[in-house]
Amino acid sequence: MFLSNQLNINTPSPEHSLKAAWLEKKALTLTLKRDDLIHPVISGNKWRKLIYALKDAKQNQVQHIISFGGGFSNHLHALGYCCHQLNIKFTAIVRGDYSLNLSPMLNDLLNWQTDVKYVNRITYKKRGDPTYLQQLKEEYPKSLIIPEGGSQLQALKGVAEIITELQQNYDYIVAPVASGGTLAGLIASAAAITPKTQVIGVGVLKGKGYLEELVSSFLPSGVVCNNWQINHDYHFGGYGKTTPELNTFCNDFLSHHSIRVEPVYSGKLCFAVKDLIHNDYFPKSSKILALHTGGLQGAR
Ligand SMILES: *Cc1c(COP(=O)(O)O)cnc(C)c1O
């Protein structure tokens, strides 16, 4: 596809089978879908969520995109890079004022000529509010507004390609959940293509109930999906929070498997999968796929 070529996107991403004594002991197979290898800059699942929005933007000659995120956001980073490469003006509305204390992510955005706007928490809270979005539309006519995390209906179509790319069937697909679009895309696509596959989200923030509602809100209405659930035992205190145990796990994972994971998403995911295996959550001889969503820029 033209856009993927233009941005040097490497899909399909590899399926990497993990070798470890703790897997052999339980007679399970664990495969990592390496969406972290899709691109050196664009974070894996953010590409999946943005591809169709960007395709439409190019097709409709959109010249300005606006979106939202925190000071370390993988979404703003991916979108900022894509807009820079595609010659689209990008306005990033950032929660909190980092102007005197730029994160590496914000530094990259500024190098990519992003128009960065810092807003306080109260304004940021309005990011989904129709009146506020209307105001933005008036302030920036002819712009396209993409929601936080890139999670919107269109995102599901891009995420679905993770499932259509798979080389084999899995009993379980496990992925981290924050703004919900990725899990919703996996659920909808798996329900349609491999209905026996169970999709398990690992909540990376304290969001019992909230995350389920968020994910459900993206699922096609009228289609009953009962192939999924979210586990809330591995948020390690909340979004972006970590512990010495999780940090050690991430370092050990790198030294054992030569695969980098970070404590915000992929580290929590892999920790959760290993712990669930240890606690015999998965029946014997299950085939498990864990989705490495990328996000390594955020750990800088
Ligand atoms: C944003 C992000 C997620 C969470 O995906 P959602 O669709 O927001 O739930 C997971 N992993 C990484 C690396 C991310 O950047």
Side-chain angles (χ1 to χ4, degrees):
M1 181 195 309
F2 181 57
L3 190 60
S4 305
N5 289 341
Q6 200 176 350
L7 293 167
N8 285 312
I9 298 291
N10 289 306
T11 47
S13 63
E15 277 159 70
H16 176 92
S17 172
L18 281 198
K19 303 274 173 277
W22 48 271
L23 288 166
E24 276 162 32
K25 202 170 95 191
K26 303 281 186 185
L28 296 167
T29 66
L30 175 59
T31 303
L32 269 190
K33 171 85 166 155
R34 299 288 309 272
D35 267 19
D36 56 317
L37 300 179
I38 283 182
H39 193 274
V41 177
I42 305 170
S43 185
N45 73 326
K46 298 306 184 279
W47 170 251
R48 304 286 192 178
K49 293 202 282 182
L50 286 170
I51 176 168
Y52 286 99
L54 288 173
K55 269 188 85 175
D56 279 4
K58 280 308 268 183
Q59 231 149 44
N60 299 318
Q61 281 147 20
V62 167
Q63 317 225 321
H64 185 187
I65 290 179
I66 301 172
S67 196
F68 308 89
F72 296 81
S73 164
N74 292 327
H75 162 67
L76 290 181
H77 192 255
L79 188 51
Y81 177 85
C82 291
C83 286
H84 181 59
Q85 294 294 315
L86 300 172
N87 258 318
I88 298 172
K89 180 181 165 169
F90 179 45
T91 296
I93 299 181
V94 176
R95 179 183 54 222
D97 186 350
Y98 291 82
S99 53
L100 297 176
N101 192 10
L102 291 176
S103 64
M105 190 287 279
L106 287 164
N107 245 322
D108 284 346
L109 285 189
L110 294 173
N111 285 331
W112 299 329
Q113 282 83 48
T114 299
D115 163 39
V116 176
K117 293 238 181 307
Y118 300 110
V119 298
N120 61 27
R121 269 149 213 281
I122 297 164
T123 306
Y124 192 82
K125 266 207 159 143
K126 296 195 279 191
R127 66 195 179 276
D129 174 354
T131 322
Y132 174 67
L133 295 176
Q134 190 52 42
Q135 271 171 11
L136 279 178
K137 273 259 165 217
E138 280 160 24
E139 195 177 338
Y140 304 102
K142 297 199 198 150
S143 61
L144 169 71
I145 301 177
I146 295 183
E148 178 184 64
S151 286
Q152 52 182 337
L153 221 49
Q154 217 175 13
L156 271 64
K157 197 169 149 193
V159 173
E161 290 170 2
I162 296 173
I163 302 288
T164 53
E165 278 175 15
L166 293 178
Q167 308 280 335
Q168 48 178 309
N169 285 344
Y170 294 92
D171 300 305
Y172 296 90
I173 295 177
V174 196
V177 196
S179 69
T182 304
L183 200 73
L186 294 172
I187 293 165
S189 177
I193 298 170
T194 53
K196 287 196 183 127
T197 303
Q198 287 293 312
V199 179
I200 298 174
V202 173
V204 301
L205 46 89
K206 284 189 191 169
K208 204 170 195 160
Y210 163 76
L211 287 179
E212 281 83 355
E213 261 176 49
L214 204 55
V215 170
S216 303
S217 73
F218 293 119
L219 292 175
S221 55
V223 183
V224 183
C225 295
N226 46 19
N227 59 339
W228 65 284
Q229 64 188 82
I230 298 177
N231 181 298
H232 297 280
D233 297 334
Y234 302 98
H235 57 63
F236 289 84
Y239 182 72
K241 299 265 166 62
T242 185
T243 65
E245 189 188 17
L246 180 59
N247 293 335
T248 303
F249 175 85
C250 292
N251 293 334
D252 289 351
F253 200 86
L254 177 62
S255 50
H256 287 146
H257 304 292
S258 304
I259 297 171
R260 199 173 282 284
V261 293
E262 42 65 58
V264 184
Y265 299 103
S266 49
K268 287 179 184 176
L269 169 77
C270 292
F271 188 103
V273 171
K274 186 176 177 188
D275 201 53
L276 289 169
I277 289 173
H278 180 74
N279 295 328
D280 293 320
Y281 175 87
F282 302 103
K284 212 171 166 174
S285 74
S286 295
K287 290 169 74 177
I288 307 160
L289 180 84
L291 178 66
H292 192 323
T293 42
L296 298 164
Q297 79 78 25
R300 290 176 297 176

